[in-house]
Amino acid sequence: MLVELMREPVALGIILFVFGLITGSFLNVCIHRIPRGTSLVSPASQCACGQKIPWRLNIPVLSWLLLGGKAACCGRSIPSRYLAVELLTGALFVFAGFHFQSQEPYFLFLSVNLVFISILLCSTFIDLEHMIIPDRLSVGGAFVGLILAFAFPALSGWWDDALLARMASLTSAILGLLVGSGTLYWVGIMAETVLRREAIGQGDVKLLGCVGAFCGWKGALFSIFGGALVGTSLLLPIVLLRSRSQTASAENNNSDRGETIGWGVEVPFGPFLALAALLYQLGLDRYVDQYFEQLGNLLRLAWNNAGFTGSFW
Ligand SMILES: [Zn+2]
């Protein structure tokens, strides 16, 4: 019945949006509890004041809007992050639902990617709030990616359930994990040598391993450089503006209480990595893969021109 209904575009959109809102509501619990190391299932949803939240005040988006962003028990304001995560998850689930329609088998691609989107969203918002990416998400996510690759070789284009196809699928996931985390690790080491301070955290390296296990090595490499590009283009104007206003306030002789902003500012890299991974997985993969293919052709040509025969790639 549900499968029949999901062939109807409007129904598909509504089902995925509602499912996304519910998942987003659960992700909010994860974002709050995973960094604190508490259980995800018990106790039931609680307000910051300790009161239990009844189910009718815990409906995604609606409750927040009806309550005007204030807790019913004590009037504390509920962070708008709760609303944002729910809506974002809903929107991404709908987008993924339509994007993967061209992929066969549809439900496999869709559900695997909904899991991937959830891991990325959770990591992003925890990193924004706490400047960490918990191992439960990054390392746990990498394990999930490897297991899925072995269980469903169709994910990497193998229309076969034989052990050989499974091993090939697993190998490409492992390759993605190693290339992703290995490259980011070395980018971090080199940046550290030049900048003389930690540039890339362990959490980012582990998250990239997870991205590689789901997207393959091309997606992992794109996430690093795409993430750096998006991060720089978004942050550069902010940093420049801030350092300008800092100079201005220094000229006004009240710079003593100024915080350290400007080039020394610490920004989590995880959200940008996650954003680039999402962009790759939800549509840029075609172009990125094509680019890597052309690069491979050029290298092959150079290899042959250098007098070597046979294929290296
Ligand atoms: Zn309360």
Side-chain angles (χ1 to χ4, degrees), residues 46-53 70-76:
Q46 269 180 341
C47 174
C49 68
Q51 283 271 18
K52 281 213 164 64
I53 302 173
K70 298 238 183 296
C73 42
C74 58
R76 257 174 244 257

Side-chain angles (χ1 to χ4, degrees), residues 15-78:
I15 292 171
L16 283 170
F17 188 65
V18 172
F19 182 56
L21 292 183
I22 296 167
T23 309
S25 180
F26 175 67
L27 292 182
N28 272 321
V29 176
C30 296
I31 292 162
H32 184 79
R33 293 190 184 179
I34 288 179
R36 292 170 176 80
T38 47
S39 161
L40 290 178
V41 280
S42 74
S45 296
Q46 269 180 341
C47 174
C49 68
Q51 283 271 18
K52 281 213 164 64
I53 302 173
W55 68 268
R56 62 196 161 78
L57 295 179
N58 208 5
I59 301 162
V61 181
L62 278 182
S63 293
W64 197 93
L65 291 177
L66 286 175
L67 294 169
K70 298 238 183 296
C73 42
C74 58
R76 257 174 244 257
S77 66
I78 309 166

Side-chain angles (χ1 to χ4, degrees), residues 208 211-212 215-224 276-277 280 288-289 292:
L208 236 282
V211 168
C215 304
W217 67 271
K218 292 170 195 157
L221 282 186
F222 173 77
S223 301
I224 298 176
Y280 176 83
V288 174
D289 291 357
F292 275 114

Side-chain angles (χ1 to χ4, degrees), residues 105-120:
Y106 173 63
F107 279 98
L108 177 65
F109 272 94
L110 179 61
S111 40
V112 166
N113 280 287
L114 295 189
V115 171
F116 185 52
I117 289 171
S118 304
I119 293 173
L120 290 179

